Amino acid sequence: MATTPSQGKRRRSATEPTKSKNGSSASPGNRLGADALVELYDKMVNIRLFEDAAQRGFRQGKVGGYMHVYSGQEAVATGFLDTYREGDYVITAYRDHAHVLLLGSDPKAVMAELYGKGTGLVKGKGGSMHLFDVANGFYGGYGIVGGHIPLGVGMAFGQAYQKTGGITQLYLGDGAIHNGAFHEAANLAGLWGRDGLNPCLFVLENNQYGMGTSVERATANTDLGKKFESYGIEHVKVDGMDVEAVLAVAREAADRVRETGKPFAVEALTYRIMPHGAADFLEKYRTKEEVKKWRERDPIGLLEKRLEDEGVDDERIAAIRAAAKATMDEAVTFAEESPDPDLSELLTDVYASDMVVQAAG
Amino acid sequence: MATTPSQGKRRRSATEPTKSKNGSSASPGNRLGADALVELYDKMVNIRLFEDAAQRGFRQGKVGGYMHVYSGQEAVATGFLDTYREGDYVITAYRDHAHVLLLGSDPKAVMAELYGKGTGLVKGKGGSMHLFDVANGFYGGYGIVGGHIPLGVGMAFGQAYQKTGGITQLYLGDGAIHNGAFHEAANLAGLWGRDGLNPCLFVLENNQYGMGTSVERATANTDLGKKFESYGIEHVKVDGMDVEAVLAVAREAADRVRETGKPFAVEALTYRIMPHGAADFLEKYRTKEEVKKWRERDPIGLLEKRLEDEGVDDERIAAIRAAAKATMDEAVTFAEESPDPDLSELLTDVYASDMVVQAAG
Amino acid sequence: MPVITYRDALRSAMAEEMERDERVILLGEDIGVYGGTHLVTNGLIDQFGPRRVIDTPIAENGFTGAAIGMAMAGMRPIVEMMTWNFSFQAADQIIQNAAKLRYFSGGQVSVPLVIRGPNGGGVQLSAQHTHSLEGFYGHFPGLKVVSPSTPEDVKGMMLAAIRDPDPVIFLEAGALYGTKGEVPEGDYTVDFGKARVAREGSDVTLIGYGRQVPVLLRIAEKLAGDKIDAEVIDLRSIRPFDSETIVQSVKKTHRAVVVQEQWRWFSVASEVAAIIQEQAFDDLDAPVERISGAEVPAPYARNLEVAAFPAEQQVIDAAHRVLYREG
Amino acid sequence: MPVITYRDALRSAMAEEMERDERVILLGEDIGVYGGTHLVTNGLIDQFGPRRVIDTPIAENGFTGAAIGMAMAGMRPIVEMMTWNFSFQAADQIIQNAAKLRYFSGGQVSVPLVIRGPNGGGVQLSAQHTHSLEGFYGHFPGLKVVSPSTPEDVKGMMLAAIRDPDPVIFLEAGALYGTKGEVPEGDYTVDFGKARVAREGSDVTLIGYGRQVPVLLRIAEKLAGDKIDAEVIDLRSIRPFDSETIVQSVKKTHRAVVVQEQWRWFSVASEVAAIIQEQAFDDLDAPVERISGAEVPAPYARNLEVAAFPAEQQVIDAAHRVLYREG
Ligand SMILES: Cc1ncc(C[n+]2csc(CCOP(=O)(O)OP(=O)(O)O)c2C)c(N)n1
Ligand SMILES: Cc1ncc(C[n+]2csc(CCOP(=O)(O)OP(=O)(O)O)c2C)c(N)n1
Ligand SMILES: [Mg+2]
Ligand SMILES: [Mg+2]
């Protein structure tokens, strides 16, 4: 899809921002026209097909390490990142392919990173868990659960302190919320927000499992969004499978954070229809039936129904899928044909300076 | 005072446990008779005079390191530890003199520990911040804010798992609640409590400051007790200056934890009338007026008024103070006359085994 | 003797001790219902139930601290760090509480705790998931730190660790989970603080631990082809540390090469070199050589990662150098 | 040159750079209203206001991580660890994020961050409040670690640290806050990676850093009385590390004694000994001697604490040993 930020802007001005009161879930007022829906569909299909290609690469042993796909959760990042403005920052954990693609990274470079090639987004040094595209506002890509949350809060402080007008979208999972890093960082966000010094939009992607541990098995208080109240942070919930609902809540939340300099949290209820990671084969922790039930609420499937209602014809949908498939085929070919990183890269980027860094031996 | 646990038990059976509904603050029903009040007064005066003596020792350079006194907060530990039963565990941070004394440690041994003597409660190895008296249920005495909270939750699990019938009283400060260790441990307590595996009584000693940082300057949500709701832990508040109110709430809370195996939290609003630590001279963070205002609610002063109401005569009060003073003079003399730890102690207690431990050099 | 994998040897040690001792429980992330990300605990929840095989939230500091509390309360918990890379979040509990409690309680408290999990690099796990923490934890008095390399040792040392009255940092060689070896029947323990001469030799002493040991044995065979008779020492235990076995060997061979995946600075290899020059100064015919990983966070790309880890050829060359021979 | 304390030199470095550069801010516990527990930041909140001198809750991991984020966003934060003993709670942020971000972002992200505070033992602070973490943090690529010993160095190195594009672990010698020394007027920096010959000598090289340096100078004077001319080297910087200055000195003196308060195993002294035997093997006339603290958590009682730290006499004896002289 290769959405450039500028396209991004054009697109956003196209779709009418509709204020739904207190960002509560999709009301008819949130409904978008055919063209806007088609655009969202385009993005979501691109993400899904990217992830499918990435998993093929993993199964073929061409993608290594840990890899976590976003399939099933597309509506969340697609909705929220539609509100992205230049100068904003976005940070998430390791399930990061969708976010960086939505911000405009070239699928070729992203796929090449997964393949560990020198043409990769981070020169093959980070891999799936550590995607970065600072030029497009994407600040990673982190592998330690909870570890990126304080970073996002600090970045938001930096934006307010330097009066850049930007906000930080900070994504975290239902498993990460129980980590001490969340508690400490959210408390700082609430505290600094009192002085308008924390334009941080927390996006809690509740896909109902932390690896194999369901929310019920991780905490006695399963109302995760409510946990933000401990820090004086307002919050709402949204159906994370309904991209229009997400978009409406995201717009309102982003505007509010931008205006107030205070943090705000949205809990998006979603589901990963794929295993936790590419190496999670057994899935003993959930039933086939449960997965099947949720696949019926696949955000892409739901959106296709909406496109039907809006009278978008099958050719148009087929064309989008075909284009997306072509994009991903191209990305895979590019990744496969790209050279490995130059060995000299091993010792660079440890320090900014030309400090001598020892090789192995 | 040298309260032995057995005296403790006798005393408890003496005073009528009065149930005040849902442990809310002091109602007439909580009021105790003269003898029970005198007993509480005795304990609180002993703590206060111990702390006064400790501070003299510090000013004279006989007590070293960091030392934090409990003056002003006596009603909290006195009320809660009145519910102590053999087999219970008690754990707190570094402001620990009162707790260990109330559990029956000999003031001589406690003072000797502060003096760093071989006759000290922990052989002079721990000092003021690391008092331990396992025989009386006291498990320390910790210097890292937040660090002891997971320990207490684990100890409570151990009691339930081994069906000892004991509960753990876990004390923490208003500053510690913002630390990640609290978040992670409280969540585990709530989770394990669902299966009756966490008889942990959280006692939040809100003395309104973490060192020089007031609650308002530490969090945007200053209702600290409410933070326990994130973990499915029920909680109440109590006036931490009114020992009768504390005692009533403590009884109810302790019984409930014992019966259910679930954690419960009490926020006691209190105030330290002395500096944070013996080395906190300036107190720039609060006004003389504020301290003065709170000294008027000194728990010992309030209790003296109650004793008057109950017609306890001045002789009896004077006798208690005299006895306490004698006890502390004795403790100081013992500490001063005690020998330093034997140098061989340096290398013991690192491991249980006779593993060789290297000396300096 | 039955031949089983390093992984199964670990599991059987824990299962057998859980059978014997009610106080032994396991806790960690996804060790129960999920089966354990490395399948070390696979099946144990069916055998012992969720009260003894406890899945925790993602809260390393919290559940490690809770396990310390359980140990203080008379239990014998075994904590799984899904990988040791996550233990930085628990560093405060491990270093400030587990290691020091016996001391600052004047001997009133014991912490019979095992913290175990895979340590060292995998394949393309990249910067945040690739650490060798032997020296990092080995620095602290009050901890015991071990790093077994064979199924026999990993079982015997796990049994010793569970029964140890002090906290044990049990660093498993994740890369060796699938490797097989003979394991004695029945109950046995392998004491800490004793290194193992994995191969006898007279010309040069190759020193390593964990994942490096099979590599060093392979290298020793190659060196034999060059008429170099290498002795291979498996440290096994990092704290307590067996200086004697190393010094004895060097007094025989007069030369030593220490190999580690870990970074060079302030590491196990630094200590080994320091000890040898202290205790075998006059016996050394060449400086102790250290072969370590590149001084970079682990890269993702496989070619970079391979270059970041010590290479067999580097060890072979070092062996030739200390013998003043051409490679 | 004006004579000021180590503490005031630190404060003036921060204050001057804050005057010059809006992006520089301070955050930590009780550094503002309270004045700083060690008064290093005393008065700065009056000068720069609460937006730039930020009192934080007790959340080392959270505010250290937030500071990393601020640095990523183009600021130049200085974090105060009230004492480094509390940094174990921030280890995950320091080691997994600050040290590695530039690398795993492929060079897209810089973390110009200083984390500073007192390090090393005080007086009777006991087990949890007594650590020397030079080797602990020095082990990790991506970090810079310094440990200045004089007012001149502490100011020049702080200015260098604030301007450094990479994260700097700034380990202050808490015990020296009150010591005075000459400090140049105006703006100057002291580069990292360069050790300082604090005293020239020809018979033996005494190596230390931070708090040990004045002690070593005192010892050198005593040794002079025994007709032993000791050279004293102040490492100053732990990572990057200046091997060359040490090796040059040993090539001259042929003998070395390394002194540290830190525990012996896997420590700075281990590394120094390893480097010297690697790079000055043929020049060494005696094994490098290491003098370290006792292998115990710090005890509270003063007599035990004194015995737990290295003693001057131990260093003097070691100097005699490496010279094969009677004490
Ligand atoms: C501190 C830490 N502990 C454990 C892990 C291993 N781990 C990786 S992902 C994950 C689950 C995280 O769940 P959640 O936050 O809900 O994110 P999701 O995978 O569902 O997107 C775990 C436990 C880790 N990476 N970091
Ligand atoms: C992790 C950590 N950070 C900082 C400190 C320094 N410190 C000691 S006491 C204290 C304040 C704690 O406040 P609170 O929890 O309210 O307990 P109180 O002193 O009021 O009893 C601080 C910041 C510490 N000991 N541990
Ligand atoms: Mg999840
Ligand atoms: Mg307080």
Side-chain angles (χ1 to χ4, degrees):
Chain A
M1 101 197 99
T3 312
T4 71
S6 60
Q7 284 170 348
K9 273 198 228 58
R10 231 189 302 102
R11 183 178 63 259
R12 268 191 304 288
S13 48
T15 57
E16 193 78 338
T18 45
K19 296 259 173 219
S20 72
K21 60 169 160 31
N22 79 5
S24 64
S25 197
S27 69
N30 299 334
R31 294 309 175 190
L32 302 169
D35 293 350
L37 290 175
V38 165
E39 219 168 59
L40 295 170
Y41 182 74
D42 183 10
K43 296 184 188 181
M44 289 164 65
V45 166
N46 271 275
I47 296 167
R48 179 69 56 90
L49 295 192
F50 180 93
E51 298 292 39
D52 292 347
Q55 282 197 300
R56 276 193 302 277
F58 190 90
R59 278 192 297 270
Q60 295 165 0
K62 293 171 177 172
V63 175
Y66 297 132
M67 187 183 81
H68 313 79
V69 299
Y70 200 64
S71 307
Q73 305 178 211
E74 292 89 348
V76 182
T78 302
F80 275 93
L81 292 176
D82 194 73
T83 71
Y84 176 84
R85 293 204 201 146
E86 218 156 350
D88 288 353
Y89 296 143
V90 178
I91 186 168
T92 186
Y94 43 80
R95 199 176 298 283
D96 57 351
H97 305 169
H99 306 75
V100 81
L101 289 168
L102 285 161
L103 286 168
S105 298
D106 185 336
K108 290 203 211 64
V110 180
M111 191 63 74
E113 185 59 36
L114 271 51
Y115 275 63
K117 298 302 182 76
T119 55
L121 200 61
V122 299
K123 305 193 270 182
K125 290 183 170 184
S128 166
M129 296 191 292
H130 300 302
L131 300 173
F132 278 77
D133 187 351
V134 166
N136 283 318
F138 191 65
Y139 279 77
Y142 297 82
I144 304 302
V145 170
H148 70 292
I149 303 172
L151 270 51
V153 169
M155 287 162 58
F157 179 98
Q159 291 170 309
Y161 179 93
Q162 297 173 104
K163 304 195 173 59
T164 68
I167 72 171
T168 295
Q169 286 194 19
L170 169 44
Y171 293 77
L172 67 144
D174 53 279
I177 201 165
H178 308 302
N179 191 271
F182 166 75
H183 181 67
E184 297 188 357
N187 188 54
L188 289 171
L191 191 61
W192 293 340
R194 276 195 322 211
D195 306 320
L197 283 167
N198 215 260
C200 183
L201 174 51
F202 289 88
V203 182
L204 173 57
E205 300 192 86
N206 180 358
N207 63 6
Q208 308 179 48
Y209 290 89
M211 198 166 273
T213 304
S214 66
V215 170
E216 297 65 34
R217 296 177 57 238
T219 183
N221 181 347
T222 56
D223 185 344
L224 302 184
K226 218 167 177 317
K227 294 180 195 264
F228 284 90
E229 289 178 11
S230 283
Y231 319 107
I233 298 174
E234 292 184 79
H235 59 94
V236 297
K237 294 192 195 317
V238 68
D239 174 358
M241 299 312 225
D242 176 345
V243 69
E244 288 171 283
V246 172
L247 184 54
V249 170
R251 286 218 178 92
E252 176 139 0
D255 291 346
R256 171 185 197 141
V257 168
R258 221 178 280 282
E259 287 152 17
T260 61
K262 291 188 194 314
F264 186 81
V266 180
E267 176 185 359
L269 189 70
T270 181
Y271 196 81
R272 58 169 165 75
I273 60 177
M274 301 301 288
H276 163 73
D280 165 21
F281 306 113
L282 308 166
E283 297 194 60
K284 288 196 230 164
Y285 53 84
R286 60 183 188 181
T287 63
K288 298 254 166 308
E289 295 61 45
E290 179 185 300
V291 178
K292 189 164 162 306
K293 185 181 117 267
W294 278 95
R295 278 179 178 278
E296 285 156 17
R297 298 209 69 240
D298 183 320
I300 292 178
L302 293 184
L303 184 50
E304 281 169 351
K305 288 199 195 65
R306 285 281 298 126
L307 290 170
E308 248 175 60
D309 304 345
E310 297 290 333
V312 177
D313 57 32
D314 300 353
E315 289 66 36
R316 198 162 166 197
I317 290 177
I320 287 169
R321 291 196 152 275
K325 185 177 177 315
T327 305
M328 300 316 148
D329 292 345
E330 213 188 321
V332 169
T333 309
F334 175 82
E336 290 186 336
E337 292 173 354
S338 289
D340 286 339
D342 188 285
L343 276 179
S344 67
E345 280 295 333
L346 175 67
L347 305 182
T348 62
D349 300 323
V350 181
Y351 297 97
S353 64
D354 49 12
M355 204 169 115
V356 186
V357 172
Q358 289 162 302
Chain B
M1 97 197 103
T3 311
T4 68
S6 61
Q7 282 171 351
K9 271 197 229 61
R10 230 187 302 102
R11 184 178 63 255
R12 268 191 305 289
S13 46
T15 58
E16 194 76 338
T18 46
K19 295 259 173 221
S20 74
K21 61 168 163 27
N22 79 6
S24 64
S25 198
S27 70
N30 298 335
R31 293 310 174 189
L32 302 169
D35 292 351
L37 289 175
V38 166
E39 220 167 58
L40 294 170
Y41 182 73
D42 183 10
K43 295 184 187 183
M44 289 165 66
V45 165
N46 271 275
I47 295 168
R48 179 68 56 90
L49 294 192
F50 180 94
E51 299 292 39
D52 292 347
Q55 282 198 300
R56 276 193 302 276
F58 189 91
R59 280 193 295 270
Q60 295 164 359
K62 294 172 178 171
V63 176
Y66 296 132
M67 186 184 79
H68 312 79
V69 299
Y70 199 65
S71 307
Q73 305 179 212
E74 291 88 349
V76 182
T78 302
F80 275 93
L81 291 177
D82 193 72
T83 70
Y84 176 84
R85 292 203 202 147
E86 218 154 348
D88 288 353
Y89 296 144
V90 178
I91 186 169
T92 187
Y94 43 81
R95 199 177 299 283
D96 57 352
H97 306 170
H99 305 75
V100 80
L101 289 168
L102 285 162
L103 286 168
S105 296
D106 185 337
K108 290 200 210 70
V110 180
M111 190 62 75
E113 186 59 38
L114 271 52
Y115 275 63
K117 298 303 183 75
T119 55
L121 200 61
V122 299
K123 306 192 271 183
K125 289 183 170 183
S128 166
M129 296 191 292
H130 300 303
L131 300 173
F132 278 77
D133 187 350
V134 166
N136 283 317
F138 191 64
Y139 279 78
Y142 296 82
I144 304 301
V145 170
H148 71 292
I149 303 173
L151 270 50
V153 169
M155 287 162 57
F157 178 98
Q159 291 170 309
Y161 180 92
Q162 298 173 104
K163 305 195 169 61
T164 68
I167 71 172
T168 295
Q169 286 194 21
L170 169 44
Y171 292 78
L172 67 145
D174 52 278
I177 202 164
H178 309 303
N179 191 271
F182 166 75
H183 180 67
E184 297 188 356
N187 188 55
L188 289 171
L191 191 60
W192 293 341
R194 274 196 322 213
D195 305 320
L197 284 167
N198 216 258
C200 183
L201 173 50
F202 289 88
V203 182
L204 173 56
E205 300 191 86
N206 181 357
N207 63 7
Q208 308 180 49
Y209 290 89
M211 196 166 272
T213 305
S214 65
V215 170
E216 298 65 35
R217 297 177 58 237
T219 184
N221 180 349
T222 56
D223 186 344
L224 302 185
K226 218 168 175 322
K227 294 180 195 264
F228 284 91
E229 290 177 12
S230 282
Y231 318 108
I233 299 175
E234 292 185 80
H235 58 94
V236 297
K237 294 191 194 320
V238 68
D239 174 358
M241 299 312 226
D242 177 346
V243 69
E244 288 169 284
V246 172
L247 184 54
V249 170
R251 287 218 178 94
E252 177 141 356
D255 292 345
R256 175 188 194 137
V257 168
R258 219 177 282 281
E259 286 152 19
T260 61
K262 289 186 194 317
F264 186 81
V266 180
E267 176 184 358
L269 188 70
T270 179
Y271 196 81
R272 60 168 165 75
I273 59 178
M274 302 300 288
H276 163 73
D280 165 21
F281 307 113
L282 308 165
E283 296 193 60
K284 288 195 227 164
Y285 51 86
R286 61 183 187 180
T287 63
K288 298 255 167 309
E289 295 62 42
E290 178 184 300
V291 179
K292 190 164 161 306
K293 185 180 116 270
W294 278 95
R295 278 177 178 278
E296 285 157 16
R297 298 210 69 238
D298 182 320
I300 292 178
L302 293 184
L303 183 51
E304 282 169 347
K305 290 199 194 65
R306 284 281 298 127
L307 290 169
E308 247 176 61
D309 304 345
E310 297 292 331
V312 176
D313 57 31
D314 299 356
E315 289 66 35
R316 199 163 165 196
I317 292 177
I320 288 168
R321 293 196 150 271
K325 186 178 175 314
T327 304
M328 300 315 148
D329 291 347
E330 213 188 320
V332 169
T333 309
F334 176 82
E336 291 187 334
E337 292 173 355
S338 289
D340 286 339
D342 188 288
L343 277 179
S344 67
E345 280 296 333
L346 175 66
L347 304 182
T348 63
D349 300 322
V350 181
Y351 297 97
S353 64
D354 49 10
M355 206 171 114
V356 186
V357 172
Q358 290 162 300
Chain C
M1 290 196 286
V3 172
I4 63 174
T5 62
Y6 189 99
R7 175 186 286 108
D8 294 339
L10 260 172
R11 187 189 307 107
S12 63
M14 293 189 282
E16 288 169 20
E17 199 64 5
M18 286 176 82
E19 286 288 358
R20 280 186 214 102
D21 186 346
E22 267 281 337
R23 300 169 306 168
V24 179
I25 67 159
L26 310 181
L27 63 166
E29 291 155 8
D30 290 312
I31 62 171
V33 173
Y34 187 99
T37 31
H38 299 87
L39 301 175
V40 172
T41 57
N42 198 21
L44 295 181
I45 191 169
D46 309 319
Q47 192 177 346
F48 298 101
R51 253 174 109 258
R52 295 185 69 189
V53 180
I54 302 167
D55 284 323
T56 65
I58 306 161
E60 278 72 7
N61 195 56
F63 65 73
T64 302
I68 295 168
M70 293 174 189
M72 291 165 70
M75 297 181 64
R76 295 191 163 270
I78 301 173
V79 168
E80 170 170 306
M81 284 288 157
M82 186 182 286
T83 79
W84 277 97
N85 305 289
F86 311 141
S87 72
F88 297 116
Q89 288 195 353
D92 185 56
Q93 287 299 331
I94 296 170
I95 294 165
Q96 291 282 34
N97 287 336
K100 300 179 168 73
L101 258 157
R102 180 183 301 280
Y103 199 80
F104 66 65
S105 70
Q108 291 184 55
V109 169
S110 288
V111 183
L113 167 70
V114 179
I115 310 178
R116 55 150 294 271
N119 172 62
V123 178
Q124 292 190 262
L125 302 185
S126 72
Q128 292 187 311
H129 287 76
T130 306
H131 292 89
S132 283
L133 299 178
E134 295 80 7
F136 182 81
Y137 286 115
H139 182 58
F140 296 95
L143 297 178
K144 294 183 179 181
V145 180
V146 299
S147 185
S149 72
T150 67
E152 175 171 1
D153 281 354
V154 86
K155 180 171 183 180
M157 293 178 94
M158 176 53 75
L159 285 166
I162 300 170
R163 296 169 192 176
D164 199 287
D166 290 305
V168 178
I169 302 300
F170 202 91
L171 302 169
E172 297 158 9
L176 302 181
Y177 277 146
T179 59
K180 295 190 166 175
E182 289 193 332
V183 170
E185 310 263 11
D187 184 8
Y188 70 98
T189 58
V190 174
D191 294 348
F192 302 161
K194 202 79 203 73
R196 182 172 64 92
V197 177
R199 182 188 195 278
E200 297 217 351
S202 54
D203 297 337
V204 56
T205 303
L206 306 181
I207 302 164
Y209 53 85
R211 175 189 199 168
Q212 302 302 329
V213 175
V215 177
L216 293 182
L217 289 170
R218 206 161 51 233
I219 289 170
E221 291 315 313
K222 291 190 185 169
L223 289 172
D226 307 343
K227 304 266 171 301
I228 296 173
D229 182 20
E231 179 145 305
V232 175
I233 291 179
D234 175 357
L235 291 176
R236 296 207 287 197
S237 174
I238 303 301
R239 187 180 193 101
F241 190 89
D242 180 4
S243 303
E244 195 183 333
T245 298
I246 293 170
V247 170
Q248 286 316 318
S249 175
V250 173
K251 285 190 169 167
K252 175 174 63 174
T253 64
H254 309 294
R255 298 158 161 86
V257 178
V258 200
V259 186
Q260 63 184 9
E261 185 180 303
Q262 187 180 152
W263 293 302
R264 162 189 303 259
W265 293 89
F266 319 112
S267 68
V268 169
S270 318
E271 184 63 41
V272 172
I275 288 169
I276 293 173
Q277 68 89 37
E278 272 164 7
Q279 299 181 36
F281 188 75
D282 297 328
D283 299 286
L284 268 181
D285 288 347
V288 178
E289 287 258 0
R290 293 186 285 166
I291 302 297
S292 309
E295 290 291 318
V296 304
Y300 169 72
R302 184 59 183 160
N303 68 322
L304 298 182
E305 181 179 56
V306 167
F309 291 145
E312 293 193 18
Q313 192 56 50
Q314 291 167 334
V315 181
I316 291 168
D317 294 345
H320 282 89
R321 276 197 301 276
V322 296
L323 282 151
Y324 303 102
R325 299 221 202 142
E326 292 311 307
Chain D
M1 292 196 284
V3 172
I4 62 174
T5 62
Y6 189 100
R7 175 186 288 106
D8 293 340
L10 259 173
R11 188 189 306 108
S12 64
M14 294 190 282
E16 288 169 19
E17 200 64 6
M18 287 176 82
E19 286 288 358
R20 281 186 213 100
D21 186 346
E22 267 282 337
R23 300 169 305 168
V24 179
I25 66 157
L26 311 182
L27 62 165
E29 292 155 8
D30 289 311
I31 63 172
V33 172
Y34 187 99
T37 30
H38 299 87
L39 301 176
V40 171
T41 58
N42 198 21
L44 295 180
I45 193 171
D46 309 320
Q47 192 177 346
F48 298 102
R51 251 174 111 258
R52 295 185 69 189
V53 180
I54 303 167
D55 284 323
T56 64
I58 305 161
E60 277 74 7
N61 195 57
F63 65 71
T64 302
I68 295 168
M70 294 175 187
M72 291 164 70
M75 298 182 62
R76 295 192 164 269
I78 302 173
V79 168
E80 171 170 305
M81 283 289 156
M82 187 182 284
T83 79
W84 276 98
N85 305 291
F86 311 141
S87 73
F88 297 116
Q89 288 195 353
D92 185 57
Q93 287 299 330
I94 296 170
I95 294 165
Q96 291 281 34
N97 287 336
K100 300 179 169 73
L101 259 157
R102 180 184 301 281
Y103 199 81
F104 66 66
S105 70
Q108 293 184 54
V109 169
S110 287
V111 182
L113 167 70
V114 179
I115 309 178
R116 55 151 293 272
N119 171 63
V123 178
Q124 290 190 263
L125 302 184
S126 70
Q128 292 187 312
H129 287 77
T130 306
H131 292 90
S132 283
L133 299 178
E134 295 80 7
F136 183 81
Y137 286 116
H139 182 59
F140 296 96
L143 296 178
K144 294 184 179 180
V145 179
V146 299
S147 184
S149 72
T150 67
E152 174 170 3
D153 282 353
V154 84
K155 180 171 183 180
M157 292 178 94
M158 177 52 76
L159 286 166
I162 300 170
R163 296 168 192 177
D164 198 287
D166 290 305
V168 178
I169 303 299
F170 202 92
L171 302 169
E172 298 158 10
L176 301 181
Y177 277 147
T179 60
K180 294 189 167 178
E182 290 193 331
V183 170
E185 310 264 11
D187 183 7
Y188 70 97
T189 58
V190 174
D191 295 347
F192 301 162
K194 203 77 204 73
R196 183 173 64 92
V197 177
R199 180 188 197 278
E200 296 217 352
S202 54
D203 297 337
V204 57
T205 304
L206 306 181
I207 302 163
Y209 53 84
R211 174 188 201 169
Q212 302 302 330
V213 175
V215 177
L216 293 181
L217 289 170
R218 205 160 52 233
I219 289 170
E221 290 316 312
K222 291 191 185 166
L223 288 172
D226 307 341
K227 304 266 171 299
I228 296 173
D229 182 22
E231 179 145 303
V232 175
I233 292 179
D234 175 356
L235 291 176
R236 296 206 287 199
S237 173
I238 304 299
R239 187 180 193 102
F241 190 90
D242 180 3
S243 303
E244 195 184 332
T245 299
I246 292 169
V247 170
Q248 286 316 316
S249 175
V250 173
K251 285 189 171 169
K252 175 174 65 176
T253 63
H254 310 294
R255 296 156 165 88
V257 178
V258 200
V259 185
Q260 62 184 8
E261 186 180 301
Q262 176 180 163
W263 293 301
R264 162 189 303 258
W265 294 89
F266 319 112
S267 68
V268 169
S270 319
E271 184 62 40
V272 172
I275 288 170
I276 293 173
Q277 66 89 37
E278 271 164 9
Q279 300 181 36
F281 188 75
D282 297 328
D283 300 285
L284 267 182
D285 289 346
V288 178
E289 288 259 359
R290 295 186 284 167
I291 302 298
S292 308
E295 290 291 317
V296 304
Y300 169 73
R302 185 57 183 162
N303 67 321
L304 298 183
E305 181 177 57
V306 168
F309 292 146
E312 293 193 20
Q313 192 55 50
Q314 291 166 333
V315 181
I316 290 168
D317 294 346
H320 283 89
R321 276 197 301 275
V322 295
L323 281 151
Y324 303 102
R325 298 220 203 144
E326 292 311 307

